Every structure is written in C-alpha cells, then in structure tokens.
C-alpha cells in the first residue's frame, strides 16, 4: 500500500478489537509494529488516538499509514489444503462455501488427528484477510453437506439459524432390516460415556443426569428384500452421533457403523463396503444475505456403489423429501 488511507469499519466487523481488525485486513503487519504505529499516532480511529484493545463500531474510520497489505506467500501445505477444499465445494458465494465433505475426513481436531477441515480452512482466507469459519459439524465418517461461513457476519447469522432450528437437514442412510412402522419419530435422551473403543453416546428412554434430549424423524424410501432399507432421516435436534444412535435404538443400525452396529452374526451383503452409510444429503437454511439456500450433495463413491448394487433410484429420495412438511 502506498500513502495513507482511511478505511471504513464494515457491519460484520462491529465489536472487533482494533488489533484483530488489523490482523484480518493486513495479515503481514506484526503486533509489535502495530503497537509502534499506535504509540506514534500514525493509526487513529475517527481522528483520535487508539489502543489495540479498542472495540470498533460500524461506520468508524480507521487511519492506516503506508503498510504492506499482502500476506506472506502460502506454504506448499496450504496450497494442497486449498486444492483439496476447492474440490469439495458444491456452492460458493460472498457469504459462504458449501462443501461435500468426504467420509473419513474429520471436521475438527482430536487425539491422533493431524488433518481436519478446520485446520485446512486458513488456506481459503479471503483477500480481506477473513478466515472461513465452521458453523456446524459432521461425524468423521459421515459424508455430505458442510456449511462454511466466509465472514464473521455470515457465521453469526448461520449460527443463529441453527440455534433457532430454522434449518432442515436431511440425511440418507442404509440400515439393516426394515423398520416398522415405515416412518416415525424417535425421541430419547443421550449422554456421552467412556467405552472400550473410546467415547460413545448412550441412549435413555427417560432423562438421566447429564443427558440431553434428542429427536429424529425417519421414513423408509425403498427396501432391498427384508435385508436392507434406505432411510431418509431428519434430525430435529443436533446431538453428537444422534442419527447413528437413533437408528440403533429402533433396531435397525446403519450399515458400516463400527461403533453402533449391534446385530450379532449379521452378514454384510456381497459387494457392499463395510463403511458407514450415512450421508448429509441436503440442507435448507436462511441465507445470510437474504432468501433461502437449498442445496444437495451427491453420494460418496461407496454409497453410490451400494445404491447401484441394490437397484435403488436416487430420485426416489429427493421426491420423498419434497413431500415432507
């Protein structure tokens, strides 16, 4: 940047600390240098001296002296992350990305995890310096729709929509057997517990200490003889492992679920991979910039293979979804 400039604080920067505002807009400017510029009066807010901890308000003017606004060159790892994330994008606009997350990729870090979506997101930092943000999660082995906010404002609005349950998320699952009735509502209490294979969610019919209420709806789309069923599942609440536990709760666990599949001596049909068959197919949610976002994600390869072997028509699932309230 050459010469002094006057920058206006945007609406999605309301309440941001001045040092974080500079970090977002000018990532190459170090904290020590920013402090020197503030002490010498070269950085001002609405013409007045300021401190790094000052909270900004929309419409305020920040005096920015000549500094470089170009971030350092991204390392090769970041370039690989950016390429991987771009390959997952099924929709993007100024407010958000919609990813079709592959099965096996964690959304956030954990014990033994070195690669996850949250850690890859800095590779998609925008020209304004804003790093994309997670607004919800999927299990590591669940594929499908994952929303990523591109701005602080979009993240806040999307989070509010999830909290207010203004979203409709639909999942496709392949389960053992055929549920009776063919559609219904599952309501239980879930509590995290430690087991031999690590943490898992235990289901209770009545409220127990520390348990949270979980509600899901399901409907059979098609069945393969009496061996397997394709379920359309809709989580009303958003609890950890909710759909996987609820499928087990009604006696029809999801195929390939290493943690919750509990039918002894059950034989996996030939040609179907022993991988979790749960896919976040679609989401309908108010768009942060107005209107409604309604988008779907194609099946992962292992589920598409199963659908083909069983002769299931993907159009049937979308048609049934349109009939739901």
């Amino acid at each position: 940047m050459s010469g002094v400039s006057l920058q206006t604080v945007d609406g999605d920067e309301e309440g941001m600390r001045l040092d974080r505002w500079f970090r977002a807009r000018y990532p190459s400017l170090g904290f020590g240098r920013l402090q020197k510029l503030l002490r010498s009066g070269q950085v001002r807010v609405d013409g007045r001296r300021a401190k790094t901890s000052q909270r900004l308000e929309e419409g305020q003017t920040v005096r920015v002296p000549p500094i470089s606004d170009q971030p350092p060159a991204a390392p090769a790892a970041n370039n690989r992350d950016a390429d991987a994330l771009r390959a997952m994008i099924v929709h993007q606009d100024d407010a958000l990305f919609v990813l079709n997350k592959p099965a096996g990729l964690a959304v956030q870090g954990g014990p033994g995890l070195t690669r996850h979506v949250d850690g890859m997101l800095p590779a998609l930092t925008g020209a304004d310096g804003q790093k994309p943000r997670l607004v919800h999660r999927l299990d590591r082995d669940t594929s499908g729709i994952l929303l990523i906010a591109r701005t602080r404002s979009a993240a806040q609005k999307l989070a509010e929509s999830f909290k207010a349950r203004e979203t409709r998320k639909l999942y496709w699952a392949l389960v053992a057997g055929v549920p009776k009735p063919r559609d219904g509502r599952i309501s239980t209490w879930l509590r995290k517990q430690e087991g031999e294979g690590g943490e898992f969610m235990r289901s209770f019919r009545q409220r127990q200490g520390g348990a949270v209420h979980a509600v899901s709806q399901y409907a059979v789309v098609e069945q393969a003889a009496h061996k397997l069923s394709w379920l359309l599942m809709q989580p009303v609440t958003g609890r950890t492992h909710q759909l996987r536990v609820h499928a087990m709760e009604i006696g029809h666990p999801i195929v390939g679920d290493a943690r919750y599949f509990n039918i002894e001596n059950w034989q996996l049909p030939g040609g179907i991979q022993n991988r979790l068959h749960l896919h976040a197919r679609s989401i309908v949610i108010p768009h942060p910039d107005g209107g409604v976002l309604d988008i779907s994600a194609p099946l992962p390869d292992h589920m598409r293979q199963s659908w083909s072997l069983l002769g299931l028509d993907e159009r049937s699932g979308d048609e049934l979804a349109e009939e739901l309230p």
Side-chain angles (χ1 to χ4, degrees):
M1 176 187 296
S2 59
V4 173
S5 67
L6 297 177
Q7 302 291 327
T8 302
V9 177
D10 296 334
D12 64 352
E13 297 170 330
E14 174 86 29
M16 185 182 287
R17 282 173 50 118
L18 182 60
D19 56 346
R20 292 176 181 167
W21 182 88
F22 267 95
R23 189 185 311 156
R25 290 209 181 193
Y26 307 97
S28 64
L29 180 65
F31 182 75
R33 187 177 173 211
L34 173 60
Q35 286 185 309
K36 290 181 181 180
L37 293 174
L38 287 165
R39 285 197 299 267
S40 63
Q42 295 184 66
V43 171
R44 293 174 179 257
V45 178
D46 284 346
R48 300 182 181 87
R49 286 179 176 266
K51 296 182 178 180
T52 56
S53 60
Q54 179 173 332
R55 299 282 178 178
L56 298 175
E57 299 176 7
E58 181 180 2
Q60 284 185 319
T61 300
V62 181
R63 181 188 187 274
V64 181
I67 57 175
S68 172
D69 58 1
Q70 296 299 318
N78 281 1
N79 292 334
R80 289 195 296 271
D81 288 346
D83 289 343
L85 289 169
R86 290 191 185 104
M88 302 177 205
I89 293 174
V90 292
H91 170 84
Q92 70 180 85
D93 54 45
D94 291 340
L96 53 83
F97 296 109
V98 182
L99 306 184
N100 184 12
K101 186 191 80 67
L105 176 64
V107 172
Q108 291 181 300
L113 290 176
T114 58
R115 185 172 175 81
H116 48 83
V117 174
D118 194 34
M120 298 164 67
L121 288 178
L124 292 184
T125 297
D128 59 359
Q130 293 203 60
K131 181 197 123 176
R133 299 162 172 84
L134 293 172
V135 292
H136 68 123
R137 298 185 301 169
L138 291 176
D139 293 343
R140 178 178 181 178
D141 291 325
T142 301
S143 59
I145 293 288
L146 184 67
L147 299 187
I148 306 294
R150 300 185 71 172
T151 66
R152 293 176 68 249
S153 175
Q156 181 179 357
K157 291 176 181 177
L158 290 169
E160 289 172 352
S161 293
F162 277 106
K163 186 176 181 180
R165 297 183 184 171
E166 297 173 337
T167 67
R168 186 179 77 159
K169 294 184 290 182
L170 296 178
Y171 290 69
W172 287 4
L174 189 67
V175 303
V178 183
K180 293 181 180 180
R182 294 178 67 87
D183 59 77
R185 182 176 184 270
I186 310 165
S187 175
T188 68
W189 296 84
L190 302 180
R191 186 175 68 196
K192 187 177 294 185
Q193 293 192 187
E194 288 289 339
E196 293 182 1
E199 290 184 341
F200 71 100
M201 300 300 289
R202 183 178 175 187
S203 181
F204 299 90
R205 290 295 184 177
Q206 297 179 335
R207 187 171 190 172
Q208 303 284 336
V212 292
H213 194 210
V215 179
S216 305
Q217 296 174 339
Y218 74 91
V220 175
V221 183
E222 294 184 28
Q223 67 184 76
H226 296 287
K227 182 77 171 180
L228 298 163
S229 295
W230 166 15
L231 297 190
L232 182 65
M233 303 191 77
Q234 181 177 4
V236 178
T237 54
R239 311 303 186 190
T240 301
H241 299 175
Q242 176 177 316
L243 296 181
R244 297 164 62 184
V245 177
H246 278 172
M248 177 188 68
E249 184 70 22
I250 62 173
H252 302 279
I254 298 173
V255 171
D257 192 337
R259 187 164 302 187
Y260 298 105
F261 197 98
N262 60 350
I263 302 177
E264 294 184 3
N265 301 318
W266 190 85
Q267 296 295 317
L268 188 71
I272 292 180
Q273 298 182 46
N274 191 22
R275 300 179 63 188
L276 183 67
H277 281 61
L278 180 63
H279 177 68
R281 172 64 172 183
S282 65
I283 191 167
V284 180
I285 187 171
H287 192 283
D289 293 338
V292 175
L293 176 71
D294 183 349
I295 193 157
S296 301
L299 287 171
D301 290 343
H302 73 281
M303 289 182 67
R304 184 178 296 110
Q305 176 182 329
S306 298
W307 260 238
S308 177
L309 287 168
L310 298 171
L312 303 177
D313 187 346
E314 292 186 29
R315 292 172 296 182
S316 299
D318 294 329
E319 290 170 358
L320 180 58
E322 292 177 359
E323 298 175 6
L324 298 178

